[in-house]
Amino acid sequence: MTTPDRRRTGNPVPQWGSQGEPHPAHDTVPVPEPAAVTPVPTADDHDAVLAERDRLRQTVADVEHTRTRATWFGVVIGAIILVLLLVFIVQNLESQRIELIFWEVNLPLGVSLLIAAIAGALIVAIIGGLRMLQLRRALKRAAG
């Protein structure tokens, strides 16, 4: 059976020999297409290519430093730290007695250090947030 494409183009369907190859009597010799003439580049073409390359470099430089990239970098670093913290907690499961003023608790060492790290991070975040709020108010006063 012939394919519809071969019927439209008028090319004969190859007859397959015993070796699975087309029969030489039915092969068509492809006619080479004339070689395309490549235009000689001019100075204007060269300047246009350089300008396009500079524009692309500037676009890449603008995209390299974005808030999204910084956020993604922070998420990846945070995930790595969490994995390391999980390994630390699993390796330090011995229970310790912790006393703070009038509190007394028995917690695994890794869990107690995790709680301390979270408390420290919250303190830093609160102080940083208050400082940003203070600077924002100062900028608003200076601007208007």
Side-chain angles (χ1 to χ4, degrees):
M1 186 169 138
T2 60
T3 62
D5 293 334
R6 292 194 185 273
R7 287 182 190 162
R8 282 189 220 130
T9 59
N11 292 340
V13 177
Q15 300 295 321
W16 299 97
S18 60
Q19 305 298 325
E21 298 173 356
H23 192 276
H26 296 288
D27 283 343
T28 58
V29 178
V31 178
E33 295 183 16
V37 178
T38 306
V40 177
T42 63
D44 292 335
D45 293 338
H46 182 69
D47 292 341
V49 168
L50 290 177
E52 178 67 15
R53 185 173 57 186
D54 290 341
R55 187 187 64 78
L56 288 174
R57 283 184 181 166
Q58 185 60 40
T59 302
V60 168
D62 291 343
V63 172
E64 281 184 3
H65 305 288
T66 62
R67 289 182 188 171
T68 306
R69 180 176 182 231
T71 302
W72 179 249
F73 187 73
V75 167
V76 169
I77 295 298
I80 291 170
I81 290 172
L82 283 176
V83 168
L84 293 175
L85 200 60
L86 180 64
V87 169
F88 176 78
I89 290 171
V90 169
Q91 288 180 346
N92 293 290
L93 289 178
E94 330 169 334
S95 187
Q96 298 287 324
R97 188 178 86 188
I98 300 170
E99 297 177 18
L100 177 63
I101 305 174
F102 56 88
W103 292 338
E104 182 179 325
V105 292
N106 287 324
L107 286 175
L109 179 62
V111 173
S112 61
L113 288 174
L114 175 63
I115 292 170
I118 290 171
L122 288 175
I123 291 170
V124 168
I126 290 170
I127 292 171
L130 291 174
R131 179 65 179 153
M132 285 188 278
L133 182 63
Q134 182 185 28
L135 290 174
R136 185 176 298 146
R137 285 183 180 174
L139 284 173
K140 284 182 181 179
R141 284 187 208 136

